[in-house]
Amino acid sequence: ANATLGRHLARRLVQIGITDIFSVPGDFNLTLLDYLIDEPMLNVIGCCNELNAGYAADGDGYARSRGVGACVVTFTVGGLSVINAIAGAYSEDLPLICIVGGPNSNDYGTNRILHHTIGVPDFSQELKCFQSVTCFQVVVNHLEDAHEMIDTAISTSLKESKPVYISISCNLPSIPHPTFSREPVPFSHTPKLTNQMGLEAAVEAAAEFLNKAVKPVLVGGPKLRVAKASDAFVELADSSGYVFATMPSAKGMVPEHHPQFIGTYWGAVSTAFCAEIVESADAYLFAGPIFNDYSSVGYSLLLKQEKAIIVQPDRVVIANGPAFGCVSMKDFLKALTKRLKHNNAAYENYHRIFIPDGKPLKSAPKEPLRVNVMFQHIQQMLSSETAVIAETGDSWFNCQKLKLPEGCRYEFQMQYGSIGWSVGATLGYAQAVPEKRVITCIGDGSFQVTAQDVSTMLRCGQKTIIFLINNGGYTIEVEIHDGPYNVIKNWNYTGLIDAVHNGEGKCWTTKVFCEEELVEAIATATGPEKESLCFIEVIVHKDDTSKELLEWGSRVSAANSRPPNPQ
Ligand code: TPP
């Protein structure tokens, strides 16, 4: 029974570092699940639905902190449900192994109609759907080549840092086969190679460009993660004396406690004094940027290509000049570190013009809670023992302004921006990093999408603090384009969570309306209830938003409503 596909897959997952796998059972994956639960190093976590299992397993929660995540679902009904989460993981370059229990191997090539399909005898529908959201797909319906297919899929995911799809016929996991007769031999991946001559030429050109600049700056982008180049980026800043900013989507990938850190560069909605320094620089190096309509604030960044060096994970482009392929970002930044002359002009400018934040806000007694007041208190909760997870919505903007202390982690899903992501992501993240207290900020609209998997957090004994920000609507949408569809039904959110809790697991809930109550709630959540899942529903005015959202919303709205070009 050891020489089986089921055991091979279980061992392989353990070997690549997976300890938790998120799943929803179905008749096509039950035998496989038996092997996964039999593996002592693997914890199979049943979720309420596949979307959340995907969000949890998907790098989103899990691969972000540990390197790789996995989920197991059932044919088509499960597969098509998890797909949105897989697409999100793709957008964030996260390796994720999506395993689907598939049809009996004898049914392939027949004209049979199977349950859980749309009722036509085409077994490739699910596969086709996954082709555009994964970097590699295998359909395992023979034992002879199963070993090779599974290993190729898993190693491709790790190498490409993208999700893969593995479908396994439901009748195969338990049948012994000689190809599985030994413990899987570990993978070793050759890193993508840098072309040495290209590297030298790129460094030469970049050094020449930057060394003649008067006040150059660095900006970190989200591809720093997949390039594993955050440390090299900081070393470049250390040795050159340049200031550095982060793009919004790279928050958490560069150290904010560093003396040369100047904040978030997000065009008109940057943190104070950051855009002024970046946009007035005569040269900027962007490491791993993604410029989309959101990160560019409706295409309104005041950047000029002739001033920019763009470094992507395997490519360097210098201003309007040459481009160099097959150059790894990490190698490039390291080599450039040795070639830049020290220049702290931008650092000095920043400190000359910088005015520290105004006086801290203090509410009048029992005054309805304001969002700005709330985030001052969340700021004070952060330490090296916390991680912040920010949902799509105004939480993007409010959390972006938090100043992360050393070691405080930060995750959100900016490129894909699928609401509800943060519930599953929180589940997966807290499971992967039990030593940190996760603090999740989620709007009421997003929470309504995926709320049920707070249940799984309780089952797992997690002690996350969830701030449910109840402003009665899809406020980010209101600021882009308002209409009656942006008002949502008000729920009794603490009542909902109490019902989900139902006396099993440690859970504490409260509603807060004013600063005094918030202070008390935080004291309880971090004191007597520090071992519980703490759910704090914060009631705020429907028009209480960050000022950044207002500015950004107008600009995105303008970009969305550009009229068609004349034909
Ligand atoms: N559906 C999905 C799956 N993802 C989306 N991003 C959207 C729809 C469009 N959308 C973006 S933000 C948002 C919606 C519907 C509303 C978020 O509301 P809420 O969570 O209450 O946050 P708030 O903006 O109020 O802070």
Side-chain angles (χ1 to χ4, degrees), residues 89-117:
Y90 192 104
S91 75
E92 302 259 324
D93 300 305
L94 299 169
L96 190 151
I97 320 291
C98 180
I99 302 162
V100 182
N104 182 294
S105 59
N106 299 301
D107 289 335
Y108 281 90
T110 68
N111 215 21
R112 296 200 175 112
I113 290 180
L114 296 183
H115 70 288
H116 291 345
T117 68

PDB file of all heavy atoms in Angstrom, residues 89-117:
ATOM      1  N   ALA A  89      -3.778  33.946  -7.324  1.00  0.00           N
ATOM      2  CA  ALA A  89      -2.416  33.492  -7.015  1.00  0.00           C
ATOM      3  C   ALA A  89      -1.505  33.685  -8.220  1.00  0.00           C
ATOM      4  O   ALA A  89      -0.340  34.057  -8.086  1.00  0.00           O
ATOM      5  CB  ALA A  89      -2.430  32.024  -6.592  1.00  0.00           C
ATOM      6  N   TYR A  90      -2.059  33.463  -9.401  1.00  0.00           N
ATOM      7  CA  TYR A  90      -1.272  33.671 -10.626  1.00  0.00           C
ATOM      8  C   TYR A  90      -0.837  35.131 -10.702  1.00  0.00           C
ATOM      9  O   TYR A  90       0.323  35.449 -10.971  1.00  0.00           O
ATOM     10  CB  TYR A  90      -2.104  33.288 -11.856  1.00  0.00           C
ATOM     11  CG  TYR A  90      -1.279  33.188 -13.112  1.00  0.00           C
ATOM     12  CD1 TYR A  90      -0.932  31.962 -13.651  1.00  0.00           C
ATOM     13  CD2 TYR A  90      -0.824  34.342 -13.753  1.00  0.00           C
ATOM     14  CE1 TYR A  90      -0.147  31.871 -14.791  1.00  0.00           C
ATOM     15  CE2 TYR A  90      -0.050  34.256 -14.897  1.00  0.00           C
ATOM     16  CZ  TYR A  90       0.288  33.020 -15.409  1.00  0.00           C
ATOM     17  OH  TYR A  90       1.071  32.940 -16.543  1.00  0.00           O
ATOM     18  N   SER A  91      -1.778  36.028 -10.406  1.00  0.00           N
ATOM     19  CA  SER A  91      -1.482  37.456 -10.530  1.00  0.00           C
ATOM     20  C   SER A  91      -0.395  37.907  -9.563  1.00  0.00           C
ATOM     21  O   SER A  91       0.232  38.927  -9.762  1.00  0.00           O
ATOM     22  CB  SER A  91      -2.749  38.288 -10.296  1.00  0.00           C
ATOM     23  OG  SER A  91      -3.067  38.324  -8.905  1.00  0.00           O
ATOM     24  N   GLU A  92      -0.203  37.144  -8.491  1.00  0.00           N
ATOM     25  CA  GLU A  92       0.778  37.528  -7.473  1.00  0.00           C
ATOM     26  C   GLU A  92       2.027  36.646  -7.524  1.00  0.00           C
ATOM     27  O   GLU A  92       2.810  36.625  -6.577  1.00  0.00           O
ATOM     28  CB  GLU A  92       0.145  37.443  -6.078  1.00  0.00           C
ATOM     29  CG  GLU A  92      -1.082  38.330  -5.932  1.00  0.00           C
ATOM     30  CD  GLU A  92      -0.807  39.627  -5.190  1.00  0.00           C
ATOM     31  OE1 GLU A  92      -0.007  39.620  -4.248  1.00  0.00           O
ATOM     32  OE2 GLU A  92      -1.386  40.656  -5.569  1.00  0.00           O
ATOM     33  N   ASP A  93       2.187  35.869  -8.578  1.00  0.00           N
ATOM     34  CA  ASP A  93       3.361  34.995  -8.739  1.00  0.00           C
ATOM     35  C   ASP A  93       3.524  34.020  -7.583  1.00  0.00           C
ATOM     36  O   ASP A  93       4.637  33.839  -7.064  1.00  0.00           O
ATOM     37  CB  ASP A  93       4.656  35.813  -8.853  1.00  0.00           C
ATOM     38  CG  ASP A  93       4.647  36.747 -10.039  1.00  0.00           C
ATOM     39  OD1 ASP A  93       4.439  36.269 -11.153  1.00  0.00           O
ATOM     40  OD2 ASP A  93       4.833  37.965  -9.834  1.00  0.00           O
ATOM     41  N   LEU A  94       2.435  33.418  -7.169  1.00  0.00           N
ATOM     42  CA  LEU A  94       2.537  32.514  -6.025  1.00  0.00           C
ATOM     43  C   LEU A  94       2.449  31.063  -6.483  1.00  0.00           C
ATOM     44  O   LEU A  94       1.543  30.705  -7.236  1.00  0.00           O
ATOM     45  CB  LEU A  94       1.403  32.811  -5.040  1.00  0.00           C
ATOM     46  CG  LEU A  94       1.435  34.228  -4.471  1.00  0.00           C
ATOM     47  CD1 LEU A  94       0.156  34.545  -3.724  1.00  0.00           C
ATOM     48  CD2 LEU A  94       2.637  34.416  -3.553  1.00  0.00           C
ATOM     49  N   PRO A  95       3.367  30.222  -6.028  1.00  0.00           N
ATOM     50  CA  PRO A  95       3.289  28.807  -6.380  1.00  0.00           C
ATOM     51  C   PRO A  95       2.161  28.149  -5.599  1.00  0.00           C
ATOM     52  O   PRO A  95       2.059  28.329  -4.383  1.00  0.00           O
ATOM     53  CB  PRO A  95       4.652  28.260  -5.955  1.00  0.00           C
ATOM     54  CG  PRO A  95       5.161  29.201  -4.944  1.00  0.00           C
ATOM     55  CD  PRO A  95       4.520  30.538  -5.194  1.00  0.00           C
ATOM     56  N   LEU A  96       1.312  27.455  -6.270  1.00  0.00           N
ATOM     57  CA  LEU A  96       0.176  26.833  -5.617  1.00  0.00           C
ATOM     58  C   LEU A  96      -0.149  25.561  -6.369  1.00  0.00           C
ATOM     59  O   LEU A  96      -0.246  25.573  -7.599  1.00  0.00           O
ATOM     60  CB  LEU A  96      -1.008  27.796  -5.679  1.00  0.00           C
ATOM     61  CG  LEU A  96      -2.205  27.417  -4.833  1.00  0.00           C
ATOM     62  CD1 LEU A  96      -2.943  28.644  -4.400  1.00  0.00           C
ATOM     63  CD2 LEU A  96      -3.127  26.494  -5.584  1.00  0.00           C
ATOM     64  N   ILE A  97      -0.278  24.482  -5.630  1.00  0.00           N
ATOM     65  CA  ILE A  97      -0.596  23.208  -6.267  1.00  0.00           C
ATOM     66  C   ILE A  97      -2.095  22.989  -6.111  1.00  0.00           C
ATOM     67  O   ILE A  97      -2.572  22.772  -4.991  1.00  0.00           O
ATOM     68  CB  ILE A  97       0.152  22.028  -5.590  1.00  0.00           C
ATOM     69  CG1 ILE A  97       1.598  22.395  -5.212  1.00  0.00           C
ATOM     70  CG2 ILE A  97       0.071  20.772  -6.445  1.00  0.00           C
ATOM     71  CD1 ILE A  97       2.533  22.600  -6.344  1.00  0.00           C
ATOM     72  N   CYS A  98      -2.828  23.077  -7.206  1.00  0.00           N
ATOM     73  CA  CYS A  98      -4.273  22.865  -7.148  1.00  0.00           C
ATOM     74  C   CYS A  98      -4.570  21.453  -7.637  1.00  0.00           C
ATOM     75  O   CYS A  98      -4.358  21.124  -8.809  1.00  0.00           O
ATOM     76  CB  CYS A  98      -5.000  23.893  -8.000  1.00  0.00           C
ATOM     77  SG  CYS A  98      -6.778  23.651  -7.932  1.00  0.00           S
ATOM     78  N   ILE A  99      -5.019  20.610  -6.722  1.00  0.00           N
ATOM     79  CA  ILE A  99      -5.248  19.202  -7.036  1.00  0.00           C
ATOM     80  C   ILE A  99      -6.759  18.968  -7.129  1.00  0.00           C
ATOM     81  O   ILE A  99      -7.516  19.403  -6.253  1.00  0.00           O
ATOM     82  CB  ILE A  99      -4.644  18.315  -5.927  1.00  0.00           C
ATOM     83  CG1 ILE A  99      -3.140  18.604  -5.798  1.00  0.00           C
ATOM     84  CG2 ILE A  99      -4.901  16.837  -6.216  1.00  0.00           C
ATOM     85  CD1 ILE A  99      -2.531  18.123  -4.496  1.00  0.00           C
ATOM     86  N   VAL A 100      -7.163  18.304  -8.197  1.00  0.00           N
ATOM     87  CA  VAL A 100      -8.578  18.024  -8.375  1.00  0.00           C
ATOM     88  C   VAL A 100      -8.755  16.515  -8.506  1.00  0.00           C
ATOM     89  O   VAL A 100      -8.049  15.866  -9.293  1.00  0.00           O
ATOM     90  CB  VAL A 100      -9.112  18.705  -9.656  1.00  0.00           C
ATOM     91  CG1 VAL A 100     -10.597  18.436  -9.804  1.00  0.00           C
ATOM     92  CG2 VAL A 100      -8.856  20.190  -9.623  1.00  0.00           C
ATOM     93  N   GLY A 101      -9.667  15.952  -7.737  1.00  0.00           N
ATOM     94  CA  GLY A 101     -10.014  14.541  -7.926  1.00  0.00           C
ATOM     95  C   GLY A 101     -10.872  14.447  -9.173  1.00  0.00           C
ATOM     96  O   GLY A 101     -11.902  15.123  -9.271  1.00  0.00           O
ATOM     97  N   GLY A 102     -10.446  13.650 -10.160  1.00  0.00           N
ATOM     98  CA  GLY A 102     -11.125  13.613 -11.456  1.00  0.00           C
ATOM     99  C   GLY A 102     -11.859  12.299 -11.707  1.00  0.00           C
ATOM    100  O   GLY A 102     -11.902  11.408 -10.853  1.00  0.00           O
ATOM    101  N   PRO A 103     -12.423  12.164 -12.915  1.00  0.00           N
ATOM    102  CA  PRO A 103     -13.215  10.981 -13.274  1.00  0.00           C
ATOM    103  C   PRO A 103     -12.410   9.671 -13.215  1.00  0.00           C
ATOM    104  O   PRO A 103     -11.189   9.688 -13.353  1.00  0.00           O
ATOM    105  CB  PRO A 103     -13.621  11.260 -14.724  1.00  0.00           C
ATOM    106  CG  PRO A 103     -13.470  12.721 -14.916  1.00  0.00           C
ATOM    107  CD  PRO A 103     -12.390  13.170 -13.975  1.00  0.00           C
ATOM    108  N   ASN A 104     -13.122   8.579 -13.060  1.00  0.00           N
ATOM    109  CA  ASN A 104     -12.533   7.245 -13.140  1.00  0.00           C
ATOM    110  C   ASN A 104     -11.790   7.128 -14.476  1.00  0.00           C
ATOM    111  O   ASN A 104     -12.299   7.554 -15.516  1.00  0.00           O
ATOM    112  CB  ASN A 104     -13.674   6.213 -13.061  1.00  0.00           C
ATOM    113  CG  ASN A 104     -13.152   4.794 -13.097  1.00  0.00           C
ATOM    114  OD1 ASN A 104     -12.593   4.355 -14.103  1.00  0.00           O
ATOM    115  ND2 ASN A 104     -13.348   4.076 -12.002  1.00  0.00           N
ATOM    116  N   SER A 105     -10.615   6.533 -14.435  1.00  0.00           N
ATOM    117  CA  SER A 105      -9.772   6.514 -15.640  1.00  0.00           C
ATOM    118  C   SER A 105     -10.469   5.824 -16.810  1.00  0.00           C
ATOM    119  O   SER A 105     -10.213   6.150 -17.965  1.00  0.00           O
ATOM    120  CB  SER A 105      -8.436   5.833 -15.336  1.00  0.00           C
ATOM    121  OG  SER A 105      -8.654   4.523 -14.886  1.00  0.00           O
ATOM    122  N   ASN A 106     -11.370   4.876 -16.529  1.00  0.00           N
ATOM    123  CA  ASN A 106     -12.043   4.148 -17.612  1.00  0.00           C
ATOM    124  C   ASN A 106     -13.043   5.022 -18.361  1.00  0.00           C
ATOM    125  O   ASN A 106     -13.454   4.688 -19.467  1.00  0.00           O
ATOM    126  CB  ASN A 106     -12.789   2.942 -17.051  1.00  0.00           C
ATOM    127  CG  ASN A 106     -11.837   1.984 -16.383  1.00  0.00           C
ATOM    128  OD1 ASN A 106     -10.908   1.481 -17.023  1.00  0.00           O
ATOM    129  ND2 ASN A 106     -12.019   1.770 -15.084  1.00  0.00           N
ATOM    130  N   ASP A 107     -13.441   6.114 -17.759  1.00  0.00           N
ATOM    131  CA  ASP A 107     -14.461   6.948 -18.396  1.00  0.00           C
ATOM    132  C   ASP A 107     -13.891   7.881 -19.458  1.00  0.00           C
ATOM    133  O   ASP A 107     -14.626   8.373 -20.315  1.00  0.00           O
ATOM    134  CB  ASP A 107     -15.225   7.751 -17.339  1.00  0.00           C
ATOM    135  CG  ASP A 107     -16.138   6.846 -16.517  1.00  0.00           C
ATOM    136  OD1 ASP A 107     -16.531   5.788 -17.043  1.00  0.00           O
ATOM    137  OD2 ASP A 107     -16.431   7.189 -15.362  1.00  0.00           O
ATOM    138  N   TYR A 108     -12.577   8.109 -19.389  1.00  0.00           N
ATOM    139  CA  TYR A 108     -11.972   8.957 -20.435  1.00  0.00           C
ATOM    140  C   TYR A 108     -12.134   8.257 -21.789  1.00  0.00           C
ATOM    141  O   TYR A 108     -11.976   7.041 -21.891  1.00  0.00           O
ATOM    142  CB  TYR A 108     -10.487   9.204 -20.146  1.00  0.00           C
ATOM    143  CG  TYR A 108     -10.297  10.274 -19.086  1.00  0.00           C
ATOM    144  CD1 TYR A 108     -10.238   9.931 -17.740  1.00  0.00           C
ATOM    145  CD2 TYR A 108     -10.212  11.611 -19.442  1.00  0.00           C
ATOM    146  CE1 TYR A 108     -10.097  10.902 -16.764  1.00  0.00           C
ATOM    147  CE2 TYR A 108     -10.063  12.595 -18.471  1.00  0.00           C
ATOM    148  CZ  TYR A 108     -10.004  12.232 -17.136  1.00  0.00           C
ATOM    149  OH  TYR A 108      -9.865  13.202 -16.190  1.00  0.00           O
ATOM    150  N   GLY A 109     -12.438   9.005 -22.786  1.00  0.00           N
ATOM    151  CA  GLY A 109     -12.576   8.431 -24.124  1.00  0.00           C
ATOM    152  C   GLY A 109     -13.918   7.761 -24.358  1.00  0.00           C
ATOM    153  O   GLY A 109     -14.156   7.193 -25.411  1.00  0.00           O
ATOM    154  N   THR A 110     -14.799   7.795 -23.363  1.00  0.00           N
ATOM    155  CA  THR A 110     -16.137   7.242 -23.582  1.00  0.00           C
ATOM    156  C   THR A 110     -17.105   8.388 -23.804  1.00  0.00           C
ATOM    157  O   THR A 110     -16.742   9.557 -23.674  1.00  0.00           O
ATOM    158  CB  THR A 110     -16.626   6.452 -22.353  1.00  0.00           C
ATOM    159  OG1 THR A 110     -16.845   7.392 -21.281  1.00  0.00           O
ATOM    160  CG2 THR A 110     -15.628   5.392 -21.934  1.00  0.00           C
ATOM    161  N   ASN A 111     -18.316   8.016 -24.056  1.00  0.00           N
ATOM    162  CA  ASN A 111     -19.340   9.029 -24.299  1.00  0.00           C
ATOM    163  C   ASN A 111     -20.243   9.203 -23.084  1.00  0.00           C
ATOM    164  O   ASN A 111     -21.359   9.678 -23.198  1.00  0.00           O
ATOM    165  CB  ASN A 111     -20.149   8.592 -25.518  1.00  0.00           C
ATOM    166  CG  ASN A 111     -20.574   9.781 -26.341  1.00  0.00           C
ATOM    167  OD1 ASN A 111     -19.973  10.857 -26.243  1.00  0.00           O
ATOM    168  ND2 ASN A 111     -21.624   9.618 -27.132  1.00  0.00           N
ATOM    169  N   ARG A 112     -19.746   8.787 -21.909  1.00  0.00           N
ATOM    170  CA  ARG A 112     -20.603   8.835 -20.729  1.00  0.00           C
ATOM    171  C   ARG A 112     -20.804  10.262 -20.242  1.00  0.00           C
ATOM    172  O   ARG A 112     -19.929  11.116 -20.393  1.00  0.00           O
ATOM    173  CB  ARG A 112     -19.963   8.017 -19.608  1.00  0.00           C
ATOM    174  CG  ARG A 112     -19.869   6.561 -19.959  1.00  0.00           C
ATOM    175  CD  ARG A 112     -19.693   5.723 -18.691  1.00  0.00           C
ATOM    176  NE  ARG A 112     -19.717   4.336 -19.081  1.00  0.00           N
ATOM    177  CZ  ARG A 112     -18.647   3.534 -19.001  1.00  0.00           C
ATOM    178  NH1 ARG A 112     -17.516   3.974 -18.492  1.00  0.00           N
ATOM    179  NH2 ARG A 112     -18.751   2.295 -19.405  1.00  0.00           N
ATOM    180  N   ILE A 113     -21.924  10.451 -19.606  1.00  0.00           N
ATOM    181  CA  ILE A 113     -22.177  11.752 -18.975  1.00  0.00           C
ATOM    182  C   ILE A 113     -21.973  11.584 -17.473  1.00  0.00           C
ATOM    183  O   ILE A 113     -22.542  10.677 -16.865  1.00  0.00           O
ATOM    184  CB  ILE A 113     -23.605  12.237 -19.295  1.00  0.00           C
ATOM    185  CG1 ILE A 113     -23.660  12.612 -20.788  1.00  0.00           C
ATOM    186  CG2 ILE A 113     -23.978  13.445 -18.431  1.00  0.00           C
ATOM    187  CD1 ILE A 113     -25.001  13.097 -21.257  1.00  0.00           C
ATOM    188  N   LEU A 114     -21.127  12.392 -16.889  1.00  0.00           N
ATOM    189  CA  LEU A 114     -20.827  12.278 -15.460  1.00  0.00           C
ATOM    190  C   LEU A 114     -21.564  13.339 -14.646  1.00  0.00           C
ATOM    191  O   LEU A 114     -21.840  14.431 -15.149  1.00  0.00           O
ATOM    192  CB  LEU A 114     -19.324  12.433 -15.233  1.00  0.00           C
ATOM    193  CG  LEU A 114     -18.438  11.369 -15.848  1.00  0.00           C
ATOM    194  CD1 LEU A 114     -16.982  11.626 -15.467  1.00  0.00           C
ATOM    195  CD2 LEU A 114     -18.855   9.970 -15.369  1.00  0.00           C
ATOM    196  N   HIS A 115     -21.802  13.007 -13.400  1.00  0.00           N
ATOM    197  CA  HIS A 115     -22.368  14.002 -12.485  1.00  0.00           C
ATOM    198  C   HIS A 115     -21.316  15.101 -12.225  1.00  0.00           C
ATOM    199  O   HIS A 115     -20.126  14.893 -12.501  1.00  0.00           O
ATOM    200  CB  HIS A 115     -22.790  13.343 -11.163  1.00  0.00           C
ATOM    201  CG  HIS A 115     -21.644  12.877 -10.305  1.00  0.00           C
ATOM    202  ND1 HIS A 115     -20.870  11.780 -10.618  1.00  0.00           N
ATOM    203  CD2 HIS A 115     -21.129  13.368  -9.156  1.00  0.00           C
ATOM    204  CE1 HIS A 115     -19.953  11.618  -9.681  1.00  0.00           C
ATOM    205  NE2 HIS A 115     -20.069  12.562  -8.782  1.00  0.00           N
ATOM    206  N   HIS A 116     -21.749  16.194 -11.686  1.00  0.00           N
ATOM    207  CA  HIS A 116     -20.869  17.346 -11.429  1.00  0.00           C
ATOM    208  C   HIS A 116     -20.292  17.960 -12.704  1.00  0.00           C
ATOM    209  O   HIS A 116     -19.280  18.656 -12.661  1.00  0.00           O
ATOM    210  CB  HIS A 116     -19.684  16.990 -10.507  1.00  0.00           C
ATOM    211  CG  HIS A 116     -20.062  16.685  -9.096  1.00  0.00           C
ATOM    212  ND1 HIS A 116     -21.280  16.992  -8.557  1.00  0.00           N
ATOM    213  CD2 HIS A 116     -19.343  16.083  -8.105  1.00  0.00           C
ATOM    214  CE1 HIS A 116     -21.314  16.595  -7.293  1.00  0.00           C
ATOM    215  NE2 HIS A 116     -20.158  16.026  -6.997  1.00  0.00           N
ATOM    216  N   THR A 117     -20.881  17.627 -13.842  1.00  0.00           N
ATOM    217  CA  THR A 117     -20.452  18.299 -15.077  1.00  0.00           C
ATOM    218  C   THR A 117     -21.680  19.019 -15.635  1.00  0.00           C
ATOM    219  O   THR A 117     -22.782  18.863 -15.109  1.00  0.00           O
ATOM    220  CB  THR A 117     -19.939  17.303 -16.140  1.00  0.00           C
ATOM    221  OG1 THR A 117     -21.057  16.526 -16.594  1.00  0.00           O
ATOM    222  CG2 THR A 117     -18.861  16.398 -15.578  1.00  0.00           C
TER     223      THR A 117
END
